[in-house]
């Protein structure tokens, strides 16, 4: 009887629709290059979704609908191969608290201004900040993504030449994988060096994890050999 009441509740149904629209918009923006993996996507978007959810008359059922829709949405991304298992697990404790925060903000505002509506066009208004800020952030930060420096240092009891000869080119990587590598993290497979001299390009290839049907998370990294690496 309680389940029937839940399914018949308009706030519950609208909250599911809003969640799919908001999160779907985020994914579309991400794949179009209009958004990046940042606080705007994982923070602002869930908060504005919570603002819309909090404006529904029956907040209790609306929040339940948002949680259910979010979980189904993330599972759908996993099933379609658009996200990895680890990404989904890490996303849940980030997205849901921000959705709840947005709902709480609406509740606090409601104490002073009675905001309760089931009109979709009104409930979609909180999505506007994301539609503006996400592309703006991507445009501002696009140049800073061209050069990313990663540095790792480890001391070995070998000469510089011996270490360099061991890492400059790796035909295949066939070894026991760490625990997390079995849960859809990118897996290194091989590295190829185009020429053995300063300025040469070393390309390292990665495959998606076991649970990634389309091998998302795979790809390659290219790095230029410098004099520093030769000692």
């Amino acid at each position: 009887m309680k389940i029937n009441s839940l399914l018949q509740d308009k706030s519950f149904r609208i909250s599911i629709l809003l969640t799919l629209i908001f999160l779907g918009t985020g994914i579309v923006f991400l794949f179009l290059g209009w958004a990046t993996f940042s606080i705007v996507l994982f923070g602002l978007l869930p908060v504005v979704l919570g603002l819309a959810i909090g404006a529904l008359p029956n907040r209790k059922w609306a929040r339940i609908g948002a949680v259910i829709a979010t979980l189904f949405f993330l599972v759908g991304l996993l099933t379609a191969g658009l996200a990895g298992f680890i990404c989904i697990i890490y996303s849940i404790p980030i997205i849901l608290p921000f959705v709840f925060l947005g709902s709480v903000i609406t509740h606090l505002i409601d104490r002073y201004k009675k905001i309760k509506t089931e009109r979709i066009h009104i409930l979609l208004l909180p999505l506007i900040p994301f539609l503006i800020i996400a592309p703006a952030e991507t445009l501002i930060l696009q140049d800073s993504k061209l050069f990313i420096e990663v540095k790792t240092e480890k001391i070995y009891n070998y000469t510089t030449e011996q270490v360099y000869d061991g890492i400059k080119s790796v035909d295949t990587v066939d070894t026991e994988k760490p625990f997390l590598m079995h849960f859809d993290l990118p897996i290194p497979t091989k590295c190829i060096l185009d020429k053995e001299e300063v300025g040469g390009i070393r390309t390292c290839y990665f495959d998606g994890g076991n649970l990634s049907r389309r091998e998302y998370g795979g790809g390659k990294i290219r790095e230029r050999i410098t004099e520093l690496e030769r000692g």
Side-chain angles (χ1 to χ4, degrees):
M1 186 69 178
K2 191 174 183 180
I3 295 180
N4 291 334
S5 300
L6 177 64
L7 296 177
Q8 294 174 2
D9 185 84
K10 191 173 182 179
S11 294
F12 174 77
R13 299 198 303 271
I14 291 179
S15 69
I16 292 178
L17 176 62
L18 289 175
T19 301
L20 297 179
I21 291 176
F22 277 61
L23 297 184
T25 299
I27 294 299
V28 170
F29 270 47
L30 185 63
F31 277 89
L32 290 178
W34 297 349
T36 60
F37 290 102
S38 66
I39 189 62
V40 175
L41 183 66
F42 289 100
L44 177 61
L45 182 59
V47 167
V48 295
L49 170 60
L51 290 174
I53 297 300
L56 290 167
N58 193 336
R59 289 196 180 98
K60 177 182 178 181
W61 294 134
R63 289 169 180 166
I64 293 176
V67 171
I68 293 175
T70 298
L71 294 178
F72 270 98
F73 185 84
L74 294 176
V75 171
L77 293 180
L78 175 63
T79 303
L82 300 178
F85 181 78
I86 289 295
C87 294
I88 298 300
I89 295 299
Y90 285 169
S91 297
I92 292 175
I94 297 176
I95 295 176
L96 292 182
F98 276 114
V99 173
F100 181 76
L101 174 62
S103 177
V104 170
I105 292 175
T106 305
H107 175 69
L108 294 177
I109 296 175
D110 187 38
R111 296 186 61 178
Y112 300 94
K113 299 178 182 179
K114 298 297 181 180
I115 303 176
K116 288 186 178 181
T117 180
E118 291 181 339
R119 290 180 291 180
I120 298 295
H121 66 282
I122 298 297
L123 296 172
L124 289 176
L125 290 178
L127 184 59
I128 294 178
F130 174 80
L131 298 178
I132 297 174
I133 296 176
E137 179 197 38
T138 303
L139 182 63
I140 293 173
L141 298 179
Q142 63 180 0
D143 291 335
S144 64
K145 295 190 299 181
L146 296 178
F147 300 96
I148 300 176
E149 181 179 355
V150 178
K151 180 178 180 180
T152 301
E153 183 179 43
K154 192 171 183 64
I155 307 300
Y156 292 97
N157 189 26
Y158 299 99
T159 65
T160 302
E161 290 74 16
Q162 289 175 315
V163 173
Y164 175 76
D165 288 337
I167 67 173
K168 64 184 179 182
S169 182
V170 182
D171 292 333
T172 58
V173 178
D174 186 13
T175 183
E176 183 178 352
K177 301 178 180 64
F179 176 74
L180 291 180
M181 286 294 183
H182 295 280
F183 290 93
D184 218 26
L185 290 180
I187 301 172
T189 58
K190 62 181 178 180
C191 290
I192 299 176
L193 185 63
D194 66 342
K195 56 183 178 180
E196 296 188 25
E197 61 184 51
V198 174
I201 300 296
R202 178 169 55 205
T203 304
C204 296
Y205 295 85
F206 295 80
D207 282 341
N210 296 331
L211 298 179
S212 181
R213 295 188 177 183
R214 295 187 181 178
E215 295 186 348
Y216 281 89
K220 60 184 178 180
I221 297 177
R222 304 185 70 196
E223 53 185 353
R224 187 177 298 276
I225 305 301
T226 66
E227 186 66 31
L228 179 62
E229 293 188 72
R230 294 302 302 267

